[in-house]
Amino acid sequence: MLSMVSFRPFRELIKKRGITTYYLRNKCGEYNLGNKTIERLMKDESVSTNTIDALCQILECEVSDIIEVKRISSPEKM
């Protein structure tokens, strides 16, 4: 089985808390969350562990509150 990291919990958390991506990009400057980083989170693309750490600090949450690992079946080997 293969797995895929999803930031769906992150997106749900910021929505629930009323936190905008504008706030993350512009009001959390000390954490260097740029446009590309936010875009990658919204598209379930890879980000650094530094970014994940920064998000946990900003949102005062645990890694499991912003990331989930989805198991996906792999194609059968021939």
Side-chain angles (χ1 to χ4, degrees), residues 1 6 8 15-16 18 22 30 32-33 36 39 42 45 52 55-56 61-62 69 76:
M1 299 224 47
S6 171
R8 183 185 56 80
K15 183 178 179 179
K16 179 178 166 183
Y22 174 85
E30 68 188 85
N32 295 324
L33 296 177
K36 282 290 191 188
E39 187 176 309
M42 301 312 246
E45 295 177 352
I52 294 167
L55 289 172
C56 289
C61 68
E62 300 295 324
V69 177
E76 291 187 35

Side-chain angles (χ1 to χ4, degrees), residues 5-41:
V5 172
S6 171
F7 293 102
R8 183 185 56 80
F10 160 75
R11 294 187 295 270
E12 291 174 354
L13 182 63
I14 62 171
K15 183 178 179 179
K16 179 178 166 183
R17 292 188 182 178
I19 298 171
T20 64
T21 57
Y22 174 85
Y23 173 82
L24 293 173
R25 284 190 313 269
N26 297 298
K27 302 297 183 184
C28 301
E30 68 188 85
Y31 294 103
N32 295 324
L33 296 177
N35 291 335
K36 282 290 191 188
T37 300
I38 300 299
E39 187 176 309
R40 294 178 71 77
L41 289 163

